Amino acid sequence: MKRVIGAILLLMVCCAPVAHAGLFGESEEEKAARIAKHVADVLREPNKVIAKAQEAVELGDTEEGIRLFRKAQTMLEEIEATEDTRGSAFATLRLKKFHCVSMLDALVLKQSEVMDVRQAVTDTSELAARLAQERAELIAEAERQENPNALPKPPTLADQLAIEEGKAALAQAAVERCRIAVGAAKAELETATAAFTEAVKVHTAADTQCFMADQHFQQATREQKSAAILDALRATLEAAKRDLTEKKEALAVAKEKQASAKAAVEAEEVQLKEAEAAFAKAKEPVRVLRKAIEDEAEAARKKAAAEKAKAEAEAKRLEAENLKRKQAEAEAAAKAREKAAAEAAARDAALKQKAAEEAAALKKELEICEELWRMKHVEAFETHVTEALAKWPDSAELMVQLARLRLIQGQEEDVLELISMTSSKGKTGKQAAFAAAGAYLVKGLPFEAMKILEPVMESSPNDPDVYFNMAVVLVRLPEVDPDREIAAKYYIRSIELGGCRSLVLERRLGME
């Protein structure tokens, strides 16, 4: 009896599902609603991850965006592995997966171009076109799977945004490459400038060496040294002259390289501006599409009244997190700016201190040189001038002192070359003019000397040295001042302004 009851119960259990399906089967609407709810449930977490990934991309965090989009893609692939996603109900899943793939393509490309600047990308238009073609094919395939009989549809706003973001990423990478190129060009300019400065120092040293060799040879000639000694000194002098010629040529080459490097910097900066303009232009479609997507989403939220409250709560949560993150970033940025400002102030103070010390040292050396020149200690004057020029090769005051030295040494051409490298303003310009006028007088060109002194006289009408030098020049111009009356007037004016008397000049002017 028990066996019969058990068999009956077993038969009832086996037949129960069949009876239920026949008597209480669900309608097509109920089945579609159940599947839609199931799809929404399984896509809830991937949708959250995609939203966070998009937010990270908008904040400029490329690495976090890649990580989150990759995580969302993995979650969608797991759903495909456990669910039958061939029907139209899962078309949203396929589109979400395509969006993740598109964003990963664009973000990975952007990251590789920014981080590995050594790999030069000469033409990105073909790559962009290929990515756009692949995205279009994926969109078409998704549409065909959803509805095989439907006509092809244009890409959605989200699809267009992915393409435009890829283009913007390429434009941004181009900007980064141009910035790196500008930095490299500026580094080349700094190197060329340093090389030019070093060439000036080497040229000055070679000039000094040549002068010393010439002095030794002249002294040996005057002392009537043996022929062997004279030959050795002559060979040394010729070698020094050849070396000076080489150094002059090297100086010219270094100057040309510096000018070329400067031109390269300007060209790279022009390209950077063009790339920045292109990047700004590429961002505009992204902004427009994002705004359109936001409008579309807002319209969808208005239609879905049941989801409105939940969407608003989620939006507020994301907004709060975003605001909190922005506040934290603003505080960190403010601290970083304060630290950078403090460091910059310390660096500026150190640079100012160093500049002040250098200026004081140069001023002291110039005072020593002036005193030695005034006391006519030529050898000590020469030593100080050459040593100071080795330390301050760009000092116009020291170049004028060297010009003075070359003038009394009978090297008029060197004097004129040195004066051409100095400023024509202030006290230094005045001393340079006196040295140049002296060089022209020695060369037998008093008219040229007068041309140099005339503008100095106009700018310094109360300087006794100007009148004294003009009187000396007029003595050499009998065709201009045959009776030397004008020269005497200039000399007397110099004395009236506090200048020193010159017995030699007075005798030449017949003023004894």
Side-chain angles (χ1 to χ4, degrees), residues 93-112:
L93 181 145
R94 292 191 290 273
L95 290 175
K96 294 286 184 182
K97 182 180 177 182
F98 161 72
H99 179 64
C100 292
V101 173
S102 299
M103 289 302 298
L104 283 171
D105 288 343
L107 293 175
V108 169
L109 178 62
K110 175 182 176 182
Q111 185 186 50
S112 64

Side-chain angles (χ1 to χ4, degrees), residues 495-509:
I495 301 301
E496 291 174 351
L497 291 173
C500 298
R501 294 183 61 184
S502 172
L503 297 179
V504 175
L505 184 59
E506 288 179 5
R507 279 195 290 271
R508 297 194 65 178
L509 294 173

Side-chain angles (χ1 to χ4, degrees), residues 30 83 99 111 145 157 284 300 329 355 362 378 403-404 429 490:
E30 291 175 339
E83 299 280 348
H99 179 64
Q111 185 186 50
Q145 290 182 3
L157 292 176
E284 182 61 20
E329 291 174 353
L362 176 58
V378 178
R404 283 178 167 181
Y490 278 113

Side-chain angles (χ1 to χ4, degrees), residues 178 182 264-276:
C178 289
V182 168
V265 170
E266 293 173 352
E268 292 295 346
E269 287 177 343
V270 169
Q271 292 187 2
L272 174 58
K273 289 181 180 179
E274 294 175 353
E276 289 174 342

Side-chain angles (χ1 to χ4, degrees), residues 136-148:
E137 292 174 357
L138 287 173
I139 292 170
E141 179 62 25
E143 293 291 340
R144 285 194 297 270
Q145 290 182 3
E146 182 177 0
N147 190 355

Side-chain angles (χ1 to χ4, degrees), residues 257-484:
K257 288 183 177 180
Q258 185 186 34
S260 177
K262 184 176 180 180
V265 170
E266 293 173 352
E268 292 295 346
E269 287 177 343
V270 169
Q271 292 187 2
L272 174 58
K273 289 181 180 179
E274 294 175 353
E276 289 174 342
F279 178 46
K281 184 177 180 181
K283 289 192 295 184
E284 182 61 20
V286 175
R287 185 192 67 78
V288 172
L289 286 170
R290 286 179 179 173
K291 182 63 170 60
I293 290 174
E294 291 174 358
D295 294 341
E296 188 179 70
E298 181 64 23
R301 282 194 293 270
K302 289 180 180 179
K303 292 180 180 180
E307 294 292 329
K308 182 178 180 179
K310 182 178 180 180
E312 288 177 350
E314 184 68 10
K316 289 181 180 180
R317 183 186 68 79
L318 293 174
E319 183 180 359
E321 290 181 357
N322 189 22
L323 179 61
K324 183 177 179 180
R325 181 165 43 256
K326 288 183 177 179
Q327 290 175 346
E329 291 174 353
E331 292 175 357
K335 292 181 179 179
R337 287 194 298 269
E338 291 176 358
K339 182 179 179 181
E343 293 176 351
R347 287 195 300 271
D348 290 341
L351 290 174
K352 289 180 180 178
Q353 178 65 24
K354 184 177 180 180
E357 293 174 358
E358 286 289 327
L362 176 58
K363 181 180 179 182
K364 182 177 180 181
E365 191 63 30
L366 288 170
E367 290 174 353
I368 294 173
C369 291
E370 286 288 347
E371 183 66 15
L372 292 173
W373 174 259
R374 186 182 64 81
M375 297 180 68
K376 308 302 180 184
H377 293 169
V378 178
E379 294 182 357
F381 176 76
E382 179 181 2
T383 301
H384 274 275
V385 170
T386 54
E387 290 178 353
L389 271 172
K391 188 174 181 180
W392 295 285
D394 297 328
S395 172
E397 295 88 346
L398 288 174
M399 287 185 181
V400 173
Q401 299 295 338
L402 182 60
R404 283 178 167 181
L405 178 63
R406 293 292 181 263
L407 181 60
I408 65 174
Q409 292 171 346
Q411 300 182 27
E412 298 82 24
E413 294 298 335
D414 289 352
V415 172
L416 296 177
E417 183 179 355
L418 288 168
I419 294 306
S420 68
M421 300 168 63
T422 62
S423 173
S424 61
K425 298 180 180 179
K427 180 180 177 181
T428 302
K430 192 184 300 181
Q431 292 178 346
F434 292 160
Y440 280 121
L441 280 180
V442 174
K443 288 168 65 68
L445 300 171
F447 272 109
E448 297 297 327
M450 180 180 288
K451 290 179 183 178
I452 291 177
L453 292 176
E454 284 177 348
V456 179
M457 182 177 291
E458 292 177 1
S459 62
S460 302
N462 296 321
D463 190 337
D465 293 337
V466 181
Y467 291 92
F468 181 84
N469 281 274
M470 186 63 81
V472 173
V473 171
L474 288 170
V475 169
R476 301 287 188 89
L477 290 170
E479 62 272 24
V480 176
D481 188 14
D483 298 327
R484 299 182 176 176

Side-chain angles (χ1 to χ4, degrees), residues 2 16 31 37 54 56 74 83 134 148 201 239 254 329 363:
K2 290 181 180 180
K31 181 179 180 181
K37 183 177 182 304
Q54 192 66 44
T74 302
E83 299 280 348
E134 291 175 357
K201 293 180 181 179
E329 291 174 353
K363 181 180 179 182

